[in-house]
Amino acid sequence: MTPRFGPVMQLGFVVPDLDRAMEHWTGNVGVGPFYVMSHIKFAEALYRGQPTDADISVAVAQWGEVQVELIQQFNDSPSIYSHFPYRAQGGLQHVGVMTRSVQEDLDKLRPLGIEPVQLGSTANGIRFAYLSTDQHPGGMIELIEHGPAIDGFFAMVREAAQGWDGAKPVRRL
């Protein structure tokens, strides 16, 4: 059988303190540099079909073939991050996979009972959907749609990690 998703290219962690989490990953694990996007602006964000105004910041770095994403939510607006059971101590919340079309994948997954829990797009047009795959052992899957903004950003993160010497571990965008 062919996997419906993949390959996994991202590990997404919800963390209580973004700066401390980046210190851990850069200092203890040696992963970096991290690119930080503070208080991301969403063009659209729906959690369980309702608009959400989750205030999040994200830090992204590359670890070999896998990307590490750290997410901190600053308010209590309903979202997959605020409802993450391990939010207080932090933990792996989702795995990310790239897709050609979020909507086409959602249309194919709906008959299987897999629905979006949270979906939307950023102000610069990056489309995403987090799927209801976390009721089973494993975890939530995020679909990330290919496009010029996200593909360019992910390429920059990969290139910066190659041969990274530990200088400038945090880069704010």
Side-chain angles (χ1 to χ4, degrees):
M1 180 172 195
T2 303
R4 287 181 173 72
F5 310 101
V8 171
M9 52 72 60
Q10 180 188 80
L11 303 175
F13 296 86
V14 170
V15 300
D17 184 319
L18 196 61
D19 291 324
R20 288 193 64 196
M22 287 187 293
E23 287 173 12
H24 165 74
W25 280 93
T26 58
N28 297 336
V29 184
V31 171
F34 275 91
Y35 286 86
V36 180
M37 294 155 287
S38 298
H39 305 283
I40 293 175
K41 301 294 181 211
F42 293 98
E44 174 187 38
L46 300 174
Y47 174 68
R48 301 198 181 280
Q50 299 299 313
T52 181
D53 63 348
D55 177 13
I56 67 167
S57 290
V58 173
V60 178
Q62 195 73 25
W63 185 12
E65 295 298 314
V66 178
Q67 185 182 93
V68 174
E69 178 183 44
L70 308 173
I71 305 157
Q72 181 179 358
Q73 182 168 332
F74 297 96
N75 62 8
D76 288 327
S77 187
S79 75
I80 60 168
Y81 319 113
S82 66
H83 290 173
F84 180 58
Y86 304 105
R87 179 181 181 190
Q89 70 265 29
L92 181 64
Q93 191 269 338
H94 72 270
V95 296
V97 299
M98 299 301 294
T99 182
R100 189 176 53 78
S101 169
V102 166
Q103 190 57 55
E104 285 179 20
D105 283 353
L106 292 176
D107 292 343
K108 290 177 192 172
L109 295 168
R110 192 163 284 113
L112 302 172
I114 300 173
E115 296 284 341
V117 177
Q118 185 164 308
L119 71 134
S121 60
T122 61
N124 63 348
I126 297 169
R127 294 178 39 89
F128 61 89
Y130 293 89
L131 304 176
S132 61
T133 54
D134 58 331
Q135 299 106 2
H136 308 285
M140 187 170 279
I141 296 170
E142 178 189 15
L143 300 173
I144 307 162
E145 189 170 285
H146 281 289
I150 197 70
D151 292 345
F153 174 66
F154 285 174
M156 178 185 70
V157 170
R158 275 191 308 276
E159 289 169 18
Q162 295 173 356
W164 178 60
D165 62 2
K168 219 174 151 200
V170 175
R171 301 168 188 196
R172 300 194 184 271
L173 301 175

